[in-house]
Amino acid sequence: MAAERETWSGKTGFILACIGAAMGLGSIWMFPWRIGAHGGGAFMIPYLLFTFGLGVFGLMGEFAFGRSQRKGAIGSFAKVFKAKGKNYGAALGIIPVLGVTGVFVFYLVVCGWILKYLCLAVSGAFGKIDPGPYFAGFAGHPESIFWHFLALAITLTIIAKGVLGGIERANKYMMPGLFIILIILLFRSLTLPGSMEGVRFLLAPDWSKLADGTTWVMALGQAFFTVSLGGAAMLVYGSYLKETEDVTSSAIHTALWTTIASLLAAFVTIPSTFAFNLDIQAGPPLLFITLPMVFKTMAGGTIFAILFFLAVIFAAISSAINLMEVPVEAIMDRFNLSRLKASLIVALTGFIIGIPLDLNMDLFGKFADLVTIYFVPFGAVMASFVFFWIYGATKAREQINKSAAKPLGKWLEFHTKYVFTTIAIVVLIIGIIQS
C-alpha cells in the first residue's frame, strides 16, 4: 500500500497545495476583521510572533509526521502506538479526523454562500440589493442548499481526480490567480478617496491594544488557524510528500505566503472600508455585508466585486479540498476503497449532515463552535503529543531534518516537545474559556 501511495510532483506543487489549504477564509475573511477589531498593525506583532515562533514548528511536525508514516492521522497514530505495543492508536486518530471533517461539513455551506455572492457580483446585483437584509434572508434558508451542493460538487470533482491530477493541478491555477487578483484589488483599494486613513490604521497601529489580553489571544488563535493546524489536514498532505523534499523550507514558505495573502486581503478590505466610512470592526459580517456595500457604491464596483469574490472562492475551494481529503484518505486507507468511492461516500454524508446547517443559523453556529473550539485544537494537541512525545522528539527532529538544506539543531526537540505542545494546550483551553 505504501509503495502505491500517491505523491506530489515536487516542492512547488506541494507548497502551492499547502498555501491553498492554509489560506482559505482564515486569510481572506477572518484576518481582515480581526486586525480591524484588535488595533490594526498592533495585531501583527503577536500574530507574526506566534505564526513563525510556534505555528511553523507545528506545521513542520505535521508534515514530517505524515511523511514518516505514509498515512493520514488514523494510520499514523496506529503505527506509532503499535510500535509501542499499544492497539488504541487508530481510535485516538479518529478524533482529529472527525474535527477536520466537521469543519468540512460547515465550511462547504459557507463556500456555497460565496458562490452565490460571486453570481450576484457577475449579475451586477449589488447595486440593487441591501446587503444586510439580503444576507439575513439567504443564509439559514432553503435557497442556500443548492449553492451548498454546487460547492460540494466542485470540491468532489477535484478530489476524485487524485493528489497529482486533482489537488495539485487545481492549486497550481487557483493560487497564482488568487495572488494576481488580490494585487489588482490592492491597487484599486489604495486609489479610493479616503483609503489612506485605512493604510494609516494598519501602519500606525493602536499600541494600547497590546495591553489587552484579547489581542494576544486572538493573534494566537489566528496563527494556528493561518497554518491550518488540527492534527489531520496538513498531516495528510505531508503523507504524500517525497522523502527528498525539505520539510522545514516547505513549512516556512507555506506560513510566509499565507501571511502575505492575509496582509494583501487586509490592505484590500480595510482601506476600502475607511474610504466609505463603514465599520472596520464589523467582525464576521465584513465579507457578506460590509464589502458588498463598498462595491455597491464605488465606481466600477461590479468588476471589482467579481474579482474579489472570485479570489475568495479560490481561497475557499482550495481549503475545502484539503478538508475533504482528510476523511477521503481515512476511508481509502481503513476500508481499502478506491478514491472515487471514498470521495462519493464523504461527499454524500457531508452534504446530508450539512443540510440542517443550511436551514438554521443557530444550529450552524453551535456546530461550527463545537468543531473549531473543541475538536480541531484538541486534534492539534494530540498530533503534537503523539509525534513529539510518543514517537519521540529526537526521532521527530530526524524526520524534520531529512533532506533539509539547513538541518535544525537539538534545541528543536525542547521547543517542539515542551514549548509548542504546551502552547497548543493553551490554545485549546483559551478557546473553551472564550467560547
Side-chain angles (χ1 to χ4, degrees):
M1 186 74 177
E4 299 174 357
R5 192 171 186 82
E6 298 173 274
T7 59
W8 308 104
S9 64
K11 181 178 178 179
T12 300
F14 173 64
I15 290 175
L16 285 173
C18 290
I19 292 170
M23 192 161 0
L25 295 178
S27 294
I28 306 298
W29 180 19
M30 186 183 295
F31 183 81
W33 71 254
R34 279 190 169 172
I35 199 172
H38 298 287
F43 182 81
M44 289 301 299
I45 293 177
Y47 167 75
L48 291 174
L49 176 66
F50 292 138
T51 297
F52 291 96
L54 293 170
V56 164
F57 295 97
L59 202 53
M60 290 178 194
E62 292 201 13
F63 286 165
F65 192 5
R67 184 174 68 175
S68 68
Q69 308 304 315
R70 312 301 296 169
K71 299 280 186 180
I74 297 175
S76 293
F77 279 39
K79 288 178 71 174
V80 168
F81 277 93
K82 188 174 181 179
K84 302 291 183 180
K86 309 295 183 181
N87 295 318
Y88 47 77
L92 294 177
I94 291 174
I95 295 173
V97 171
L98 284 177
V100 172
T101 304
V103 175
F104 166 71
V105 170
F106 79 77
Y107 197 86
L108 263 292
V109 175
V110 181
C111 288
W113 298 347
I114 297 165
L115 281 172
K116 171 64 174 179
Y117 271 62
L118 176 59
C119 289
L120 288 174
V122 170
S123 67
F126 287 140
K128 306 169 187 174
I129 64 172
D130 187 337
Y134 185 88
F135 182 72
F138 168 68
H141 293 80
E143 183 189 354
S144 66
I145 295 175
F146 167 77
W147 300 97
H148 174 195
F149 177 80
L150 184 59
L152 182 64
I154 293 170
T155 308
L156 171 62
T157 300
I158 295 170
I159 284 288
K161 292 181 181 294
V163 171
L164 194 61
I167 301 172
E168 182 174 325
R169 180 175 294 177
N171 280 289
K172 278 186 174 180
Y173 289 104
M174 288 193 293
M175 289 305 98
L178 172 60
F179 277 92
I180 290 169
I181 292 171
L182 285 176
I183 291 170
I184 293 171
L185 290 169
L186 175 66
F187 280 108
R188 179 60 183 128
S189 175
L190 297 183
T191 56
L192 291 170
S195 63
M196 287 301 106
E197 286 298 316
V199 174
R200 278 189 282 273
F201 173 78
L202 291 168
L203 298 181
D206 179 1
W207 297 115
S208 66
K209 288 290 185 178
L210 292 179
D212 185 352
T214 304
T215 300
W216 292 81
V217 168
M218 288 297 180
L220 180 59
Q222 182 68 34
F224 273 59
F225 201 86
T226 291
V227 295
S228 194
L229 294 179
M234 289 308 201
L235 192 153
V236 76
Y237 270 15
S239 74
Y240 301 128
L241 191 60
K242 295 176 182 177
E243 297 286 342
T244 54
E245 300 299 340
D246 188 334
V247 162
T248 301
S249 175
S250 297
I252 292 171
H253 275 88
T254 298
L256 175 64
W257 286 103
T258 305
T259 299
I260 290 172
S262 299
L263 286 170
L264 283 173
F267 274 91
V268 167
T269 56
I270 299 298
S272 299
T273 306
F274 267 91
F276 291 93
N277 296 312
L278 297 172
D279 184 11
I280 61 166
Q281 300 186 31
L286 183 67
L287 182 64
F288 295 106
I289 298 174
T290 306
L291 286 174
M293 291 178 68
V294 170
F295 298 131
K296 181 178 180 178
T297 52
M298 74 157 52
T302 297
I303 295 173
F304 292 104
I306 293 170
L307 288 174
F308 179 79
F309 281 102
L310 185 61
V312 177
I313 201 61
F314 281 171
I317 294 296
S318 62
S319 284
I321 293 166
N322 176 242
L323 296 169
M324 186 175 181
E325 179 63 14
V326 170
V328 167
E329 186 278 339
I331 291 175
M332 289 168 60
D333 182 61
R334 306 309 291 179
F335 299 102
N336 198 27
L337 293 179
S338 69
R339 172 170 286 275
L340 179 59
K341 288 180 180 178
S343 299
L344 289 170
I345 290 170
V346 171
L348 181 61
T349 305
F351 181 64
I352 291 171
I353 295 173
I355 288 176
L357 308 184
D358 283 308
L359 302 175
N360 188 319
M361 288 301 293
D362 286 338
L363 181 61
F364 176 94
K366 290 176 181 177
F367 183 87
D369 283 349
L370 176 66
V371 295
T372 57
I373 293 172
Y374 298 95
F375 277 91
V376 173
F378 189 51
V381 169
M382 289 183 65
S384 172
F385 185 77
V386 172
F387 192 48
F388 297 122
W389 287 79
I390 307 300
Y391 184 71
T394 300
K395 291 168 66 179
R397 180 168 69 90
E398 291 173 358
Q399 291 296 333
I400 290 171
N401 283 336
K402 186 177 289 185
S403 300
K406 296 180 179 179
L408 300 175
K410 200 169 178 63
W411 60 268
L412 180 69
E413 297 176 26
F414 178 86
H415 187 71
T416 52
K417 186 174 182 179
Y418 296 101
V419 179
F420 175 77
T421 304
T422 300
I423 296 298
I425 294 171
V426 170
V427 171
L428 173 62
I429 294 171
I430 288 174
I432 294 172
I433 292 172
Q434 298 252 328
S435 64

